[in-house]
Amino acid sequence: MANYETHEHDVLVIGAGGAGLRAAIEASAKGLSVGLVCKSLLGKAHTVMAEGGVAAALGNVDSADGWETHFRDTMMGGKMLNNWRMAQLHAQEAPDRVRELEHWGAVFDRTKNGKILQRAFGGHTYKRLCHVGDRTGLEMIRTLQDQGVHQGIKVYMECAISKLLKDGDTIAGAFGYFRQDGRYVLFKAKAVVLATGGVGRSFPVTSNSWEYTGDGQGLAYEAGADLIDMEFVQFHPTGMVWPPGVRGILVTEAVRGEGGILRNNKGERFMWKYLPEDRRNEYAADEEEAKRWVDAAMKGEKTNDRRPPELSTRDNVARAIYTEVKEGRGSPHGGVFLDISYQDSERVKKKLPSMYHQFKELADVDITAGPMEVGPTMHYIMGGIRVDADTAGTRVPGLFAAGEVAGGMHGSNRLGGNSLSDLIVFGQRAGAGAAEFAKKIGGQPKINEADITAAIEELEAPFKRANGLNPYDVQTKLHEIMSKYVGIFREENDLKQGIAELEALQAEVDNAKAQGTKLFNPGWHLALNLKTMLICSQAIAKAALLRKESRGAHSRLDYPNTEADFGKFNYSSSLEGGKMALKESPLNEMPEDLKKLFAKKEPAHA
Amino acid sequence: MREATLSVFRGDKDTGEFKTYKVPIEEGMVVLDAIHYIQAHEDPELAVRWNCKAAKCGSCSAEVNGRPSLMCKTRMDHFADGEEIRVEPLHTFPVIKDLVTDVSWNYEVNKRIPGFTPAPDADWTFYQEDIERVQEFRKCIECFLCQDVCHVLRDHDRKDAFFGPRFLVRTAGLEMHPMDTLNRAEFIKDQEGIGFCNITKCCSEVCPEEIHITDNAIIPLKERVVDEFYDPVMMIWNKIFGKKKQLV
Ligand SMILES: Cc1cc2nc3c(=O)[nH]c(=O)nc-3n(C[C@H](O)[C@H](O)[C@H](O)COP(=O)(O)OP(=O)(O)OC[C@H]3O[C@@H](n4cnc5c(N)ncnc54)[C@H](O)[C@@H]3O)c2cc1C
Ligand code: SF4
Ligand code: SF4
Ligand code: FES
């Protein structure tokens, strides 16, 4: 019987990105003992990489902005499939959460009159993104990290959770191992918050790190929670495409927010062709108008001109680029051109410093002197664990989820900047929800010794497969299946084939082997992670097959239109009798006062 | 196909040796790509930290041909054809395995720095020019390359007495924040051990974020400490009027 160490907390938070840190701070502020677990070192989560900004209707630059418009933009961006209550709370509370960060020491860029500066981003009617150059996520995570540290939260770094444990129906804790030496660890907790982020490592070209193996989604699914909207996978329109070593690394949307222009190999500014008819009049009519908007934006002046077509939503821009490339109008390395070099080079270096360095150092391209080559990269998953909007609670009592791991907030397509705000709004709510739950239940729940034994056996298994497979080879296969059959454009036969191949891959995942010792062993860790990657990939492919329409980030070649009937429910996947079952789960009716917001006439310009 | 030769440290806290690997070169490849190639094709056990692959998270610090570097930012074509590329873990911190070191000490000292302390009635109006300097310090990605290269920590192993450049940068970010009200001078002098720094600027040279660690953070902090503790005028002033709010 293998040894393990035990820790006890009122609330256990799994994941130390923006959502996890904010949840931990909240629960700890309520006087509870909080443990915070993360797979990497503290401060290295995805949140640190976020660049462009955090969306909040502060109205510091465009005073006409308010939560109602932010709510409306978010719902329209998500093609009305969002959980309206989440979108509402998000729009209402993001400004307070951003100000709170400032009060905890975050140093946002300033307007001329000393307030938090805001910039334009795709799909947002007004200039709404609070930012720090192009390293907003770093500012946020560092602020939260320092705030959390001073509040006495206990942090377990480089610790991976592999199993949630329950006492009957209710959550009781979690089991896992420390990456550094492979020692096992049991956490007893009265409430657990999952904040483990996304699933990008299921795809070969992605902006996501090694950590994004869908752990939280998989853990929750196995514990009895359901996942919704998994078919909605966001391909960010602008990833680096060259050199091959950097393929997929993100080029922030802030480049377009600062006036970046997209062109094909004929020099055409193609985005005009791809604007959706119903929102076309929100965008500039021609080059001159777009230029006037950019000039005004650079000077920080108000204008009646409309924003450039490059600031359309991500799903739309990603499809446009994909189409241009497919039809032979791409750049030499299979992308398109994104150009900001027509602007003052000092300003570009100041507003987009990390982009400047990233291209200069990794691709030998000076973005102040010429265009970048960019193309779509898997970036974010809108889907995730289904939660209650107000408490962030899942179907499993005592289990909460926030951030990218949770679904519902973004519907079928997330607007840029709405993730960072999602983290702090629902991180706070998840922390409060978990604290309240933990206080109510009183004593520590019981943990079944047999469950611990099973968790240990699962962790040991890869070492026992002497004739097993190299986990890296299995991951490569998964990548091939996902990119071939479940990519940006989807189609019935492809999806069916993809699902069949994913099912066949199960045997290989179950036979991935590890060798050597448990001391910091990446091969072992990958062998373990393949399981949740496969669960998420299956949920994505199966929901994509059922959704016979195109909506937001989900594009079906065989069903190119958005169908009203498919706008009435989410697909949810859950574990039923050992199998993944997909169900239609109807959306809640939006109250009349919110419905009215969609009738209100917004100014076409911003 | 062109090949690179990498000599990578393999071992743990007790023993270790350099092992040689041949890796096919792709255009635009960085050292981290080569390490990943070895992991996927030759040795899945090779331990390395990384997250962003874009010089944003500070995870992939190592010493490449003797220079503290981010592996994701070190291009393979910067080395001559046929040159052996030597990759080893940071020297200042204990090895856990291969390229992974135990940097936990850094998180411990960070906890001791008194946090941001705004005035309760602050109105939060402040201007870009007031924060340019602070924003420079906040670019730090905690790669700990500066900690690795600083001779006080590296050669003299004075982790007991000196916080190192990273945490002087962090302290400077707090001290120069226009809304912060705390005076950390005594703390900087006694706890952080700023006196140990003799301004060799090695830290500034390796900082991948190009933070002017010595010129912009450490020297002004040293001046602060001198003003507060060794300036005779200030000493008299403090005697008569009492010091600014001090740490308890
Ligand atoms: C390059 C890039 C740029 C982006 N730019 C923006 C932007 O400008 N604006 C915006 O709004 N959004 C942006 N995003 C999206 C946004 O950064 C992420 O969606 C968000 O940071 C996710 O935060 P999170 O707290 O949910 O998860 P993360 O910050 O990813 O944190 C996940 C945490 O969970 C831990 N974890 C995972 N699995 C386990 C496990 N099994 N056991 C223990 N711990 C585990 C990890 O170690 C980590 O600490 C960007 C994303 C990327 C990749
Ligand atoms: S300047 Fe000071 S902190 Fe920097 S390396 Fe030299 S002694 Fe260390
Ligand atoms: S100051 Fe520079 S070198 Fe030091 S940890 Fe920060 S980014 Fe790295
Ligand atoms: S992997 Fe993030 S800095 Fe190198």
Side-chain angles (χ1 to χ4, degrees):
Chain A
M1 179 61 221
N3 277 330
Y4 57 86
E5 63 186 51
T6 305
H7 300 278
E8 260 189 60
H9 291 285
D10 297 318
V11 175
L12 181 72
V13 179
I14 306 173
L21 279 163
R22 187 62 191 81
I25 289 171
E26 192 67 16
S28 156
K30 300 235 150 58
L32 299 183
S33 138
V34 177
L36 177 62
V37 187
C38 52
K39 280 208 287 191
S40 286
L41 295 172
L42 187 59
K44 312 295 183 193
H46 266 79
T47 305
V48 81
M49 300 169 219
E51 296 161 349
V54 44
L58 290 167
N60 287 353
V61 175
D62 289 323
S63 53
D65 200 10
W67 76 262
E68 294 91 342
T69 316
H70 193 180
F71 167 75
R72 184 174 167 273
D73 287 346
T74 300
M75 293 296 298
M76 305 270 280
K79 301 289 178 310
M80 306 304 282
L81 216 59
N82 326 46
N83 175 329
W84 60 261
R85 177 68 179 154
M86 287 179 92
Q88 178 191 21
L89 289 170
H90 168 258
Q92 287 173 334
E93 294 177 3
D96 279 349
R97 293 284 84 77
V98 167
R99 279 187 217 107
E100 171 180 80
L101 284 176
E102 182 168 73
H103 297 188
W104 291 346
V107 191
F108 291 101
D109 285 354
R110 316 305 295 176
T111 64
K112 280 197 194 91
N113 50 12
K115 301 262 168 261
I116 295 175
L117 181 60
Q118 300 182 276
R119 68 158 48 119
F121 242 51
H124 291 281
T125 301
Y126 295 105
K127 296 190 192 76
R128 188 178 284 147
L129 267 77
C130 314
H131 61 276
V132 188
D134 54 6
R135 48 168 198 84
T136 312
L138 172 66
E139 189 67 24
M140 282 180 56
I141 202 164
R142 210 59 88 224
T143 303
L144 290 167
Q145 192 180 332
D146 290 336
Q147 180 73 16
V149 158
H150 287 291
Q151 233 168 272
I153 294 162
K154 176 93 173 91
V155 183
Y156 304 88
M157 289 198 265
E158 299 199 310
C159 178
I161 297 299
S162 62
K163 198 106 205 154
L164 295 177
L165 302 169
K166 295 202 295 186
D167 178 357
D169 288 339
T170 308
I171 209 77
F175 200 83
Y177 61 95
F178 285 93
R179 286 170 58 82
Q180 292 199 356
D181 51 10
R183 73 186 196 278
Y184 297 139
V185 56
L186 168 67
F187 293 100
K188 297 183 174 176
K190 299 171 190 163
V192 171
V193 178
L194 284 168
T196 54
V199 306
R201 297 310 285 178
S202 288
F203 293 82
V205 178
T206 177
S207 63
N208 293 177
S209 85
W210 69 272
E211 294 195 284
Y212 266 24
T213 47
D215 298 20
Q217 290 87 343
L219 291 167
Y221 167 83
E222 286 205 314
D226 48 350
L227 309 177
I228 57 166
D229 289 342
M230 292 296 281
E231 66 273 35
F232 298 115
V233 171
Q234 181 165 81
F235 289 84
H236 194 290
T238 62
M240 292 178 84
V241 295
W242 192 89
V246 297
R247 198 176 171 88
I249 293 179
L250 197 74
V251 178
T252 172
E253 191 167 319
V255 176
R256 282 173 286 137
E258 298 289 334
I261 294 174
L262 287 165
R263 293 188 198 283
N264 61 22
N265 67 14
K266 297 198 159 93
E268 290 161 350
R269 191 169 183 176
F270 56 83
M271 270 317 298
W272 267 297
K273 276 194 306 209
Y274 295 94
L275 293 175
E277 275 316 315
D278 58 333
R279 300 199 76 173
R280 184 175 287 274
N281 67 356
E282 293 172 27
Y283 296 90
D286 50 29
E287 299 263 353
E288 278 76 52
E289 185 174 358
K291 185 170 182 315
R292 286 196 303 269
W293 182 94
V294 171
D295 288 345
M298 297 306 101
K299 290 199 203 101
E301 286 167 2
K302 276 208 178 346
T303 171
N304 287 332
D305 295 307
R306 293 165 298 180
R307 60 205 142 119
E310 280 79 10
L311 290 175
S312 178
T313 50
R314 288 184 174 175
D315 54 335
N316 201 37
V317 181
R319 270 193 302 272
I321 295 175
Y322 188 89
T323 308
E324 288 295 307
V325 174
K326 216 170 75 179
E327 293 176 358
R329 293 185 295 275
S331 67
H333 303 101
V336 294
F337 298 106
L338 173 61
D339 191 10
I340 189 96
S341 67
Y342 68 97
Q343 281 182 26
D344 175 63
S345 68
E346 283 315 307
R347 184 166 196 286
V348 171
K349 281 187 208 167
K350 188 156 163 23
K351 297 304 277 186
L352 303 164
S354 61
M355 283 304 110
Y356 173 74
H357 285 115
Q358 187 171 310
F359 272 90
K360 190 131 188 141
E361 274 152 27
L362 300 176
D364 287 328
V365 167
D366 179 353
I367 67 168
T368 67
M372 313 158 226
E373 273 188 75
V374 296
T377 180
M378 191 287 171
H379 183 57
Y380 184 90
I381 183 151
M382 272 66 77
I385 305 165
R386 193 223 303 266
V387 290
D388 169 64
D390 290 77
T391 63
T394 69
R395 205 164 71 166
V396 179
L399 183 62
F400 298 77
E404 191 168 341
V405 76
M409 160 66 205
H410 305 285
S412 66
N413 179 45
R414 171 177 73 90
L415 301 184
N418 266 6
S419 170
L420 290 181
S421 41
D422 172 0
L423 307 181
I424 42 180
V425 168
F426 293 104
Q428 188 268 341
R429 283 190 166 264
E436 195 177 324
F437 186 91
K439 280 187 175 162
K440 248 197 300 217
I441 70 159
Q444 285 288 358
K446 271 202 298 296
I447 290 176
N448 202 332
E449 199 59 42
D451 290 345
I452 296 174
T453 312
I456 293 174
E457 269 166 19
E458 198 177 330
L459 291 171
E460 308 258 303
F463 288 105
K464 300 192 170 137
R465 297 168 188 147
N467 298 317
L469 304 163
N470 179 343
Y472 291 88
D473 293 342
V474 181
Q475 186 185 29
T476 305
K477 273 203 182 159
L478 177 66
H479 284 170
E480 281 162 6
I481 299 168
M482 292 307 278
S483 72
K484 201 160 159 197
Y485 304 115
V486 202
I488 295 193
F489 284 106
R490 299 162 174 181
E491 198 257 314
E492 173 132 351
N493 289 334
D494 281 353
L495 288 167
K496 284 187 170 154
Q497 181 68 23
I499 291 168
E501 293 191 19
L502 287 173
E503 256 153 33
L505 198 67
Q506 184 72 54
E508 300 193 21
V509 166
D510 292 340
N511 195 30
K513 73 166 178 204
Q515 56 200 47
T517 70
K518 290 192 185 123
L519 192 68
F520 213 113
N521 185 337
W524 178 38
H525 303 157
L526 180 58
L528 297 169
N529 288 155
L530 286 168
K531 176 174 131 185
T532 49
M533 285 164 85
L534 186 60
I535 292 174
C536 293
S537 302
Q538 283 172 330
I540 293 168
K542 288 187 170 174
L545 178 64
L546 291 179
R547 185 168 287 283
K548 295 184 165 58
E549 64 157 354
S550 291
R551 180 185 295 267
H554 173 69
S555 300
R556 285 284 298 254
L557 289 173
D558 40 358
Y559 299 99
N561 298 323
T562 305
E563 306 291 344
D565 284 349
F566 279 98
K568 295 180 181 144
F569 58 84
N570 308 109
Y571 281 114
S572 80
S573 2
S574 54
L575 186 59
E576 316 280 345
K579 280 216 156 85
M580 184 178 285
L582 274 86
K583 276 200 280 282
E584 292 177 11
S585 93
L587 295 179
N588 288 336
E589 181 78 10
M590 191 188 286
E592 287 307 317
D593 58 327
L594 291 182
K595 273 191 192 158
K596 275 196 210 119
L597 296 174
F598 294 88
K600 198 178 124 198
K601 187 101 187 74
E602 289 285 336
H605 54 83
Chain B
M1 192 184 266
R2 280 174 58 219
E3 267 188 346
T5 309
L6 274 85
S7 171
V8 183
F9 176 82
R10 302 302 312 274
D12 54 32
K13 66 180 190 330
D14 302 320
T15 67
E17 58 180 6
F18 282 84
K19 262 176 112 169
T20 306
Y21 302 91
K22 300 270 183 211
V23 174
I25 297 185
E26 248 192 0
E27 191 155 14
M29 203 171 185
V30 292
V31 170
L32 185 62
D33 292 322
I35 297 292
H36 281 159
Y37 180 91
I38 298 168
Q39 251 185 358
H41 296 95
E42 292 193 38
D43 197 344
E45 279 186 75
L46 169 55
V48 61
R49 285 194 182 107
W50 73 280
N51 282 69
C52 68
K53 224 180 154 288
K56 294 199 170 74
C57 72
S59 303
C60 66
S61 313
E63 299 190 8
V64 182
N65 284 359
R67 188 184 160 82
S69 317
L70 296 177
M71 282 184 276
C72 69
K73 208 178 150 184
T74 309
R75 296 252 305 251
M76 296 288 280
D77 55 13
H78 286 176
F79 305 99
D81 260 356
E83 181 183 353
E84 191 175 86
I85 304 167
R86 194 178 158 95
V87 191
E88 56 196 305
L90 301 182
H91 281 204
T92 296
F93 303 105
V95 172
I96 292 173
K97 185 180 152 199
D98 305 339
L99 301 175
V100 173
T101 54
D102 179 1
V103 290
S104 54
W105 172 77
N106 294 285
Y107 293 89
E108 292 308 314
V109 290
N110 186 40
K111 275 190 210 163
R112 307 218 296 266
I113 299 175
F116 179 61
T117 312
D121 53 353
D123 85 336
W124 300 97
T125 306
F126 52 95
Y127 301 91
Q128 192 62 38
E129 57 268 29
D130 305 331
I131 56 167
E132 296 284 323
R133 188 45 54 81
V134 175
Q135 286 190 330
E136 176 190 354
F137 302 145
R138 294 187 66 94
K139 285 194 310 194
C140 170
I141 56 174
E142 299 206 323
C143 62
F144 305 133
L145 292 177
C146 57
Q147 303 286 83
D148 182 49
V149 83
C150 174
H151 62 96
V152 184
L153 302 173
R154 190 186 180 101
D155 304 327
H156 305 292
D157 197 20
R158 292 309 307 269
K159 295 195 188 78
D160 57 326
F162 183 53
F163 275 28
R166 155 57 188 140
F167 297 101
L168 293 173
V169 165
R170 163 141 157 72
T171 308
L174 288 163
E175 284 285 283
M176 296 181 206
H177 192 303
M179 309 304 282
D180 185 76
T181 59
L182 208 63
N183 181 347
R184 297 175 187 76
E186 195 169 315
F187 179 81
I188 297 162
K189 175 166 92 51
D190 297 340
Q191 305 279 312
E192 296 200 19
I194 196 171
F196 280 92
C197 165
N198 50 11
I199 324 189
T200 55
K201 299 202 188 184
C202 314
C203 52
S204 306
E205 272 165 36
V206 295
C207 177
E209 285 293 312
E210 295 176 3
I211 299 171
H212 298 93
I213 301 174
T214 342
D215 289 341
N216 291 348
I218 298 182
I219 293 175
L221 285 186
K222 276 179 175 276
E223 284 166 357
R224 234 352 254 288
V225 169
V226 169
D227 284 352
E228 194 94 8
F229 294 99
Y230 307 108
D231 180 332
V233 180
M234 277 303 286
M235 275 167 152
I236 294 167
W237 177 277
N238 286 339
K239 245 202 185 105
I240 302 171
F241 297 103
K243 283 192 193 174
K244 257 173 72 179
K245 189 165 86 185
Q246 283 291 351
L247 288 174
V248 278

